[in-house]
Amino acid sequence: MEFKHKSVLLKETIDGLKIKPDGIYVDGTLGGGGHAYEVCRRLGEKGSIVGIDQDAAAIEAASARLKDFGEKVTIVRSNYCDMKSKLHELGIDKVDGIVLDLGVSSYQLDTAERGFSYAPLDMRMDTRQKMTARDIVNDYTEADLYRVIRDYGEDKFAKNIAKHIVQARAVKPVETTAELSEIIRASIPMKFQKKSGHPAKRT
């Protein structure tokens, strides 16, 4: 599937960066290279940008999109959380601006095998990582599932959801996002489902 992603708030982001022609910029969530492309267009001969992404498909797409900018562009396959150490490796200790477009891209949602939609449970942003969502759902203890759902999903029904997941996987492993979604739906009282949209979105 071709990597397609529309950059969010593109004009506002670029205007906010107030790009200097000789500046050093970082796109910590490179994606398809939309923001980086607009930064590059405004850079002079001494300007540069470092693009960081952990998704191989994103890097391939961005590399093709940014190829005409040559040595102004450096692409690193990593997570933006490691930005500081990766920049130090490149000999950069100060930058003029950073872009972070946080969240899951439409490409990841639309590509079934990535497991973010109704498909086999995967949900890895970086496919080099070994652990998948399936591993977590089927192997974590009930207490650990509760902690993850409570802390990261901030779902007030985390305890009940964790309990239902453990009960369901005792019958058979949870293999798809659709199965997980139905387990979560059964864990949340109907009156709350009607108020807050799809019951599985937080988990």
Side-chain angles (χ1 to χ4, degrees):
M1 182 181 196
E2 184 184 354
F3 192 105
K4 289 183 180 178
H5 177 65
K6 184 176 179 181
S7 299
V8 177
L9 296 172
L10 182 58
K11 182 182 184 303
E12 293 85 350
T13 302
I14 299 304
D15 289 349
L17 283 171
K18 296 182 171 47
I19 296 163
K20 303 176 193 172
D22 60 350
I24 300 172
Y25 296 87
V26 180
D27 187 341
T29 49
L30 183 61
H35 288 108
Y37 182 87
E38 293 302 324
V39 172
C40 287
R41 285 183 54 218
R42 292 159 173 78
L43 293 175
E45 286 185 17
K46 294 182 179 179
S48 64
I49 186 167
V50 178
I52 300 172
D53 209 293
Q54 56 188 347
D55 189 318
I59 286 176
E60 184 179 349
S63 297
R65 187 169 191 175
L66 303 172
K67 68 179 187 303
D68 292 341
F69 296 105
E71 294 183 1
K72 287 181 187 176
V73 181
T74 302
I75 296 178
V76 178
R77 187 172 184 190
S78 185
N79 187 292
Y80 65 85
C81 295
D82 300 319
M83 183 186 300
K84 189 174 181 179
S85 64
K86 294 301 177 184
L87 290 175
H88 282 167
E89 287 173 17
L90 295 169
I92 299 169
D93 59 7
K94 186 173 71 172
V95 300
D96 296 287
I98 297 171
V99 176
L100 291 175
D101 181 3
L102 301 176
V104 182
S105 76
S106 55
Y107 168 81
Q108 289 163 335
L109 292 172
D110 293 340
T111 307
E113 59 267 25
R114 298 300 293 271
F116 286 98
S117 188
Y118 293 95
L121 273 171
D122 190 319
M123 299 186 176
R124 290 173 296 169
M125 292 288 217
D126 185 344
T127 53
R128 296 173 300 178
Q129 294 175 347
K130 292 184 179 177
M131 182 176 286
T132 66
R134 185 196 182 284
D135 299 326
I136 292 169
V137 168
N138 289 289
D139 298 339
Y140 272 28
T141 65
E142 184 173 333
D144 283 338
L145 285 171
Y146 163 63
R147 177 185 53 79
V148 168
I149 297 166
R150 179 199 64 197
D151 293 353
Y152 299 108
E154 298 180 353
D155 198 308
K156 64 181 175 181
F157 297 106
K159 197 173 187 97
N160 204 37
I161 293 167
K163 184 176 94 174
H164 275 72
I165 290 171
V166 170
Q167 288 173 347
R169 76 187 190 194
V171 179
K172 69 176 263 321
V174 182
E175 301 284 357
T176 70
T177 50
E179 290 172 9
L180 179 59
S181 182
E182 285 309 306
I183 292 165
I184 294 164
R185 186 189 297 276
S187 311
I188 299 174
M190 188 59 70
K191 64 179 179 179
F192 289 99
Q193 291 187 33
K194 289 178 181 176
K195 289 180 183 176
S196 56
H198 197 290
K201 65 184 178 183
R202 288 182 180 276
T203 303

